[in-house]
């Protein structure tokens, strides 16, 4: 999977003085989800659904990092971010098992309803 990553170094914005104008320290990582050989079809579907807001229209994931002045550090940070993102997106959520309502809970609710009904019955004026 790491062999399918494409890195591009561009000039970073922000503080850095004259060095900023000369050095390309910002790293942009791009990963083509649709054409990846490392992922199965099910994993591709899972990634496209979970990372839909982060993907381009061509199903390419783009991450950028310009936290450090060092290009190498930015590359390692963005790679770690990518791996963490993929790892969390590939987790399949457990299917919820509907539980049955215990009989005691149902009986308690009906008993409370009966009790409230009796209280309201006792408030009425007696019929003659």
């Amino acid at each position: 999977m790491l062999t399918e990553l494409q890195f591009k170094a561009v000039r970073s914005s922000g503080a850095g003085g004259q060095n900023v104008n000369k050095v390309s320290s910002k790293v942009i990582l791009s990963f083509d989800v649709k054409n990846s050989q490392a992922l199965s079809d099910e994993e591709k579907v899972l990634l496209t659904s979970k990372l839909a807001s982060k993907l381009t229209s061509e199903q390419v994931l783009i991450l950028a990092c310009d936290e450090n002045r060092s290009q190498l550090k930015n590359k390692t940070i963005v790679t770690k971010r990518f791996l963490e993102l993929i790892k969390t997106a590939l987790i399949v959520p457990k299917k919820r098992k509907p539980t049955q309502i215990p009989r005691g809970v149902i009986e308690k609710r009906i008993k409370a309803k009966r009790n409230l009904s009796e209280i309201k019955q006792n408030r009425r004026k007696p019929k003659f």
Side-chain angles (χ1 to χ4, degrees):
M1 183 184 289
L2 291 175
T3 55
E4 294 179 3
L5 298 179
Q6 294 172 340
F7 295 98
K8 189 166 77 173
V10 293
R11 291 203 176 133
S12 182
S13 62
Q18 295 170 346
N19 190 46
V20 143
N21 302 326
K22 297 182 286 185
V23 180
S24 299
S25 60
K26 181 178 182 177
V27 176
I28 298 174
L29 175 143
S30 56
F31 176 68
D32 193 355
V33 176
K34 191 167 65 172
N35 299 323
S36 173
Q37 268 89 45
L39 300 170
S40 66
D41 290 336
E42 300 90 42
E43 290 173 334
K44 287 178 187 178
V45 170
L46 195 62
L47 281 178
T48 51
S49 64
K50 284 199 176 179
L51 301 176
S53 62
K54 297 181 188 303
L55 294 175
T56 64
S57 57
E58 293 86 33
Q59 308 274 307
V60 177
L61 175 69
I62 296 173
L63 297 173
C65 180
D66 61 349
E67 294 172 12
N68 274 299
R69 288 190 188 179
S70 165
Q71 190 184 104
L72 187 64
K73 284 182 184 176
N74 284 336
K75 189 175 179 180
T76 55
I77 290 169
V78 82
T79 308
K80 282 181 187 174
R81 254 190 229 154
F82 167 76
L83 292 172
E84 197 65 36
L85 190 71
I86 296 294
K87 191 168 93 174
T88 54
L90 287 177
I91 294 172
V92 180
K94 285 184 185 176
K95 206 158 196 180
R96 184 187 170 274
K97 285 190 226 170
T99 56
Q100 214 169 8
I101 301 169
R103 194 176 346 146
V105 172
I106 295 170
E107 288 172 1
K108 185 179 174 184
R109 180 177 56 85
I110 292 171
K111 187 178 178 184
K113 284 175 77 170
R114 238 185 253 125
N115 189 23
L116 194 64
S117 174
E118 287 175 15
I119 290 170
K120 289 184 176 184
Q121 288 277 328
N122 292 336
R123 285 187 201 148
R124 291 184 183 169
K125 291 180 182 176
K127 291 182 181 178
F128 294 109

